[in-house]
Amino acid sequence: MPHEHADAAGADPAGPAHDGTPPTLAAVPSYAPTEVDLEAIAEVADRFLDRELSWLRFNQRVLELAEDDSLPLLERTRFLAIFTSNLDEFFMVRVAGLKRRIATGLAVRAVSGLMPREVLETIWKEADQLSQRQAEVFRDQVAPALLEEGIELVRWGDLDKDEQRACKRLFKERIFPVLTPLAVDPAHPFPYISGLSLNLAVVVRNPRTGKQHFARVKVPSNFDRFVPLGNDRFVPLEDVISAHLERLFPGMEVQEAHTFRVTRNEDVEVEEDDAENLLAALEKELLRRRFGPPVRLEVEESIALSVLDLLVSELDISSEEVVRLPGPLDLRGLHGIADLAREDLKYPAFVPSTHPLLAEVESAAPVDVFKALRRHDVLVHHPYDSFATSVQRFIEQAAADPHVLAIKQTVYRTSGESPIIDALIDAAQAGKQVLALVEIKARFDEQANIRWARKLEQAGCHVVYGLVGLKTHCKLAMVVRDEPDGIKRYIHIGTGNYNGKTARSYEDLGLLTTNEAIGNDVAHLFNNLSGWSRKARYDELLVAPDSVRAGLVDQIHAEIAHHRAGRPSGIRFKVNSIVDEQLIDALYLASREGVPVELLVRGICALRPGVPGLSENITVRSILGRFLEHSRIFWFAGGGDPVAWIGSADMMHRNLDRRVEVLVRLPTEESRVEVQTLLEQAFSADTDAWVLGPDGEWVRHPGAVHLQEFLIERHRSRRG
C-alpha cells in the first residue's frame, strides 16, 4: 500500500502533476462503472452486515478490554463502566427506534436481509449474553483482582459491626431524608419509573391483617454509587438502603427487596417546520422524553417471580426485554472506583504537549498563534497535541486581539465550563462580530446547548441554529483579522468538538490554516448556514448533504482509473462507522478492480471484507484503547500524488443525508505525510488490533505495538 500496478507501461503521461499540490476533484482521472459492473456487485445479496448487530460486536470489543489482564486494573474497571453506558444508549436510541418502526408498521427489511423483528430478537439474545458476560468479568476477574490490590467491593453481609454502624449513621443523617417510598394499591397507582434510575421493589406485610403490599423506593443518584467505608472498601448504596427499609415502613414487616432498573426510549424528535421557536419546541420534547416507553428491564437474578411478574405487567414490557443479572446492577458506578487515586493501577500519566509549531521558543509568553499560522499550517493531533494551547488559544487570542473583526464558529458539544464559550462572549462584548452556530439537537446535550445558546445571545452574539431539517455537525471556526496587507482569514477545521474536556480523551485531528481557498470556502459555508445562500460546490471542501458521498465516490473511482493506468493506487479510511451502501459498493468495486482498500473502523462496519470475487482486497481493522479513536481520515494514493481529507463525517446515512458535515482536503505535503504515517502505523501487522472476518466476527490480533502508546512516546520524544 499504495499498490503499484505490475504493468507500468500503461501509465498516463497526462496524470497528476508531481509538484506536491493535490489535484482538484475535476482534475482527477475519471472512471464510470458500467451497468455490468454495478449489477455484479448488486447480485451479492448478503454483502452487507447488519448495523445494529455490528454495534453489539463493537461493545463486545470494549468488554474484551475489561477482560484483558495486561491492562492496568482500574482501566479494566472503567471499561466495564463504559460497556454499561454504551449498552444503555444503544437501547435508548437504536432498540427504541426498532420497536417504534415495528409498532408503526414501518418495518421493512434491512439491507442485511433481516426484518426489524429478526434484528430485535437477535439483539435481545446477544445483548443478554454480553450482559451476563460482563457480570461474570466483574464477579470472577475484576472484583477479585481489586481485592488483591486492597480495593474491596463488598455486599452488606460482608460488613463488620463498625462499618454497619457507620452506614446506619449515614442513612439516618443523609440518605433517609431524601428517600420517598411510593406504595402501590387502589389509591396509589404504579409509580412512573424514570429511565436508568436504580430502584428497589419492596414487599412489606401488615402484621395486623397479614396482607402484603408493594412499594417502590428510588435509589438517589446524587450519592456515591458505591459507598466508601474507609480503607478502600465500598458497599453498593442500594445495600445500605435495603438494610434500613424498616425506617421507611414503620409498623410493617419488610419481607423482600429487589433491585431493578428500566431503560426507556429517550430519542428526541422535533418537527422544526411546525415550531415557531425551536428552543421552546425542544424543551417541550425533552420533557416528553422522560416519559418514553420502556425498552428494557434489568433485575437481579434473585428477584421473586411474583415481584418480577408485577413489574413486567405494570411496565407493559415483554419477557424478552427482561435481563436477569447477578448484582449489583448499573455498573456505570464503577467510574467512581476507576477514579481512585491509585496511579499504580492506571495508565501512566500523560500530559498533552504544545504542538512544536505553536510552542514558545524563548520567552514564557504564549506564542502568537496568528503569527505562527502566517508562517505555516498546523495539523494538530489530540490528545497528543494540547487542545488548550492550540485550538482554545486560537479562539482566546482572537477574542482579545484588537485587530480581529469577527469570529464565526460552530458549537455541537462543549464542556460544562467552556473557555471557548467564554472567549466568544468576551469577543462580542468587546464589539467584535461573533456568529455562533449552535446545534441544540446534539443528542443528550440538548439541555446544555440550550443554555449556551441563551448565554451567547444575552452577550450580544449572533446565534443561529443551522438549516431546517439538518443537524449541523461540522467543526468549523473562522477568525477574520484586519492586517496591514488586507483582511485575512484564519481557519480551524476539525474532526472533534470544541470541548476541552473530551479533547483529553478523544483522538481527533484539526487543521489550522490561512489557506485562501479554504478560507473562501468556509466563509461561503457560514453564509449558507446563517443566511439564504445555497452554494453547494466548494473548491477545497466536501460538504454534506450535497457533496461528501459523491465526492468520495468520485475519489474511489479515480483510484480505479489510476490502477487501470498502471499508476500507484490505494485507499485508506479511518472512521467511526461505515454503513452507507453507495460508498460500500464503491469500495467493493475498487476491490474487484484490484485496488487495495484498508479500513480502520472503531464502531459499526456494515461492509463484509474478504469475500472472494467481491472484497478480497479489503481489510478492516479496529483499534480501541485508553483514548476514543474519533478522527475521520480519507486517504487516496492518487497515482503517486496522495490526497487526504479530514473532517466530521462518518460513512452513515445520517451524516451524509441529514447533517451538515465538512471534509477538508489537506493542503500541504507535510500534513498529508503526517496522516499517511499515522495510517501506516495503524495498519501495520505489528500493531495490536481487531480484524473483521467475512462472517462479521472480530478477532483480536495482538501486536507488539499499541498504537496509542506508540504515539504518546513519539510525542514525548518530539517534545524532548
Side-chain angles (χ1 to χ4, degrees):
M1 196 60 187
H3 176 77
E4 188 75 50
H5 195 284
D7 181 12
D12 182 0
H18 291 261
D19 61 358
T21 303
T24 64
L25 279 181
V28 298
S30 62
Y31 162 78
T34 66
E35 288 188 16
V36 173
D37 294 329
L38 298 176
E39 287 174 1
I41 300 291
E43 285 175 359
V44 184
D46 61 347
R47 66 189 186 277
F48 300 115
L49 299 170
D50 187 82
R51 61 157 293 162
E52 316 301 353
L53 303 183
S54 179
W55 185 93
L56 285 177
R57 305 292 188 276
F58 154 67
N59 213 29
Q60 178 179 319
R61 298 197 292 280
V62 174
L63 185 56
E64 288 177 20
L65 289 173
E67 294 170 329
D68 185 349
D69 60 10
S70 72
L71 296 184
L73 181 55
L74 289 183
E75 306 299 345
R76 296 174 63 193
T77 305
R78 191 179 303 283
F79 282 123
L80 285 174
I82 292 171
F83 174 92
T84 299
S85 300
N86 285 349
L87 198 58
D88 288 345
E89 183 171 337
F90 178 70
F91 271 87
M92 287 189 293
V93 178
R94 301 305 309 176
V95 173
L98 279 171
K99 288 189 66 177
R100 185 167 58 243
R101 290 200 293 277
I102 293 169
T104 55
L106 299 177
V108 297
R109 193 175 298 278
V111 295
S112 63
L114 299 176
M115 291 295 292
R117 169 60 61 177
E118 294 176 287
V119 175
L120 193 56
E121 290 173 352
T122 306
I123 286 173
W124 286 332
K125 178 182 177 182
E126 294 194 5
D128 181 73
Q129 291 172 347
L130 286 174
S131 295
Q132 299 293 341
R133 181 171 163 185
Q134 180 203 24
E136 291 170 6
V137 172
F138 172 71
R139 181 192 63 209
D140 300 337
Q141 298 181 35
V142 172
L146 288 169
L147 178 60
E148 289 182 8
E149 295 292 345
I151 301 170
E152 297 182 73
L153 304 179
V154 298
R155 303 309 296 259
W156 181 260
D158 302 317
L159 271 57
D160 61 32
K161 291 184 178 180
D162 288 340
E163 290 171 332
Q164 290 187 358
R165 278 194 292 269
C167 287
K168 182 177 182 179
R169 185 165 56 250
L170 172 69
F171 180 86
K172 178 181 177 181
E173 296 175 358
R174 295 185 56 79
I175 300 174
F176 176 75
V178 304
L179 297 180
T180 304
L182 296 175
V184 176
D185 60 28
H188 301 88
F190 192 85
Y192 174 77
I193 310 297
S194 54
L196 302 187
S197 63
L198 198 61
N199 304 271
L200 289 171
V202 183
V203 177
V204 296
R205 177 180 174 273
N206 187 325
R208 289 185 303 170
T209 65
K211 187 176 181 180
Q212 286 186 328
H213 301 276
F214 176 86
R216 172 260 191 155
V217 178
K218 182 177 180 179
V219 177
S221 59
N222 48 359
F223 287 84
D224 289 329
R225 173 72 182 82
F226 292 96
V227 177
L229 302 168
N231 298 319
D232 282 344
R233 277 170 61 87
F234 302 86
V235 63
L237 177 59
E238 64 270 24
D239 282 20
V240 177
I241 296 172
S242 295
H244 298 89
L245 285 173
E246 72 279 356
R247 292 288 307 275
L248 287 174
F249 303 98
M252 304 291 280
E253 297 174 358
V254 177
Q255 294 188 314
E256 300 176 43
H258 307 284
T259 311
F260 71 96
R261 184 171 181 256
V262 175
T263 310
R264 293 185 176 275
N265 176 353
E266 296 205 16
D267 205 5
V268 172
E269 298 178 58
V270 176
E271 295 296 333
E272 309 108 295
D273 295 333
D274 301 328
E276 292 182 7
N277 187 322
L278 184 57
L279 267 69
L282 185 59
E283 286 180 312
K284 182 179 179 180
E285 178 66 15
L286 289 173
L287 183 63
R288 185 205 63 77
R289 181 170 76 176
R290 293 169 49 196
F291 300 94
V295 293
R296 180 179 56 163
L297 171 63
E298 296 170 277
V299 298
E300 284 199 276
E301 59 187 7
S302 58
I303 191 169
L305 185 59
S306 58
V307 175
L308 178 58
D309 288 342
L310 175 66
L311 292 175
V312 168
S313 173
E314 293 291 346
L315 291 168
D316 191 22
I317 203 164
S318 68
S319 59
E320 294 92 343
E321 295 169 301
V322 176
V323 183
R324 302 181 66 145
L325 296 167
L329 302 180
D330 191 7
L331 293 183
R332 292 178 303 170
L334 290 176
H335 278 298
I337 304 300
D339 288 337
L340 290 174
R342 288 289 303 270
E343 303 309 312
D344 57 316
L345 301 179
K346 298 181 181 180
Y347 288 122
F350 168 65
V351 178
S353 58
T354 300
H355 191 287
L357 296 178
L358 298 175
E360 301 80 6
V361 180
E362 296 177 355
S363 70
V367 70
D368 184 327
V369 175
F370 302 112
K371 185 182 293 184
L373 294 183
R374 285 195 296 273
R375 290 194 295 264
H376 35 59
D377 289 353
V378 177
L379 185 68
V380 287
H381 192 190
H382 312 303
Y384 313 103
D385 294 319
S386 168
F387 180 86
T389 59
S390 55
V391 180
Q392 181 179 313
R393 182 175 288 173
F394 170 59
I395 301 298
E396 288 175 336
Q397 288 190 356
D401 189 335
H403 298 290
V404 169
L405 305 177
I407 304 173
K408 300 185 179 186
Q409 186 169 352
T410 60
V411 179
Y412 190 76
R413 302 185 199 275
T414 189
S415 49
E417 296 298 324
S418 173
I420 284 183
I421 296 291
D422 291 341
L424 294 177
I425 290 172
D426 291 343
Q429 292 174 341
K432 296 176 171 61
Q433 293 292 313
V434 177
L435 172 71
L437 201 151
V438 180
E439 180 46 75
I440 59 173
K441 299 190 300 300
R443 182 176 288 151
F444 303 123
D445 275 340
E446 299 94 346
Q447 207 67 262
N449 284 5
I450 289 171
R451 186 170 64 251
W452 290 129
R454 289 190 166 139
K455 187 175 181 181
L456 289 164
E457 284 179 330
Q458 291 166 2
C461 299
H462 301 296
V463 179
V464 296
Y465 307 109
L467 303 175
V468 170
L470 299 174
K471 276 189 180 182
T472 304
H473 189 247
C474 52
K475 326 299 181 184
L476 302 173
M478 180 175 73
V479 172
V480 181
R481 195 169 187 269
D482 190 6
E483 301 188 350
D485 55 349
I487 298 295
K488 197 173 192 67
R489 297 187 183 98
Y490 295 81
I491 305 296
H492 173 263
I493 301 179
T495 67
N497 300 305
Y498 292 102
N499 187 322
K501 182 177 180 181
T502 59
R504 294 192 290 270
S505 58
Y506 281 36
E507 179 271 341
D508 273 302
L509 290 166
L511 175 68
L512 288 157
T513 182
T514 59
N515 181 279
E516 189 172 347
I518 293 175
N520 288 336
D521 281 352
V522 172
H524 282 302
L525 180 55
F526 272 116
N527 289 341
N528 290 352
L529 295 172
S530 64
W532 291 109
S533 169
R534 282 298 290 130
K535 176 184 171 72
R537 295 188 63 82
Y538 301 87
D539 293 327
E540 301 300 323
L541 306 181
L542 296 175
V543 180
D546 296 310
S547 62
V548 170
R549 179 188 286 112
L552 290 176
V553 168
D554 285 346
Q555 292 269 209
I556 293 169
H557 289 171
E559 290 306 299
I560 296 174
H562 284 309
H563 179 80
R564 286 186 163 189
R567 292 185 293 267
S569 65
I571 297 168
R572 281 174 167 163
F573 287 0
K574 179 182 183 296
V575 293
N576 292 286
S577 297
I578 179 164
V579 172
D580 187 74
E581 293 85 12
Q582 286 182 247
L583 278 164
I584 291 174
D585 278 349
L587 293 172
Y588 285 151
L589 197 61
S591 172
R592 283 169 57 89
E593 289 284 336
V595 177
V597 178
E598 294 177 304
L599 305 177
L600 188 62
V601 183
R602 174 172 60 89
I604 303 168
C605 182
L607 180 146
R608 194 186 295 273
V611 177
L614 179 72
S615 57
E616 64 264 43
N617 290 311
I618 302 179
T619 58
V620 182
R621 294 161 66 86
S622 184
I623 292 176
L624 304 179
R626 69 186 292 180
F627 305 133
L628 186 144
E629 293 289 329
H630 192 249
S631 65
R632 294 90 165 180
I633 304 172
F634 305 89
W635 182 93
F636 302 89
D641 282 321
V643 178
W645 304 76
I646 66 167
S648 59
D650 276 309
M651 301 298 94
M652 303 180 74
H653 306 132
R654 70 185 186 196
N655 300 90
L656 302 177
D657 297 322
R658 302 190 298 277
R659 291 183 173 186
V660 179
E661 305 276 13
V662 170
L663 302 182
V664 61
R665 179 171 27 210
L666 295 180
T668 65
E669 183 177 2
E670 290 79 8
S671 59
R672 296 192 294 274
V673 168
E674 194 166 338
V675 298
Q676 182 173 335
T677 302
L678 168 64
L679 293 174
E680 284 175 353
Q681 186 59 61
F683 288 112
S684 169
D686 293 334
T687 297
D688 186 82
W690 283 262
V691 176
L692 179 62
D695 58 355
E697 297 295 328
W698 293 83
V699 177
R700 191 170 186 179
H701 287 216
V705 176
H706 293 266
L707 180 65
Q708 296 177 353
E709 299 304 318
F710 170 83
L711 291 172
I712 287 174
E713 290 306 316
R714 193 177 79 175
H715 279 69
R716 280 177 176 156
S717 62
R718 185 183 69 178
R719 180 174 55 192

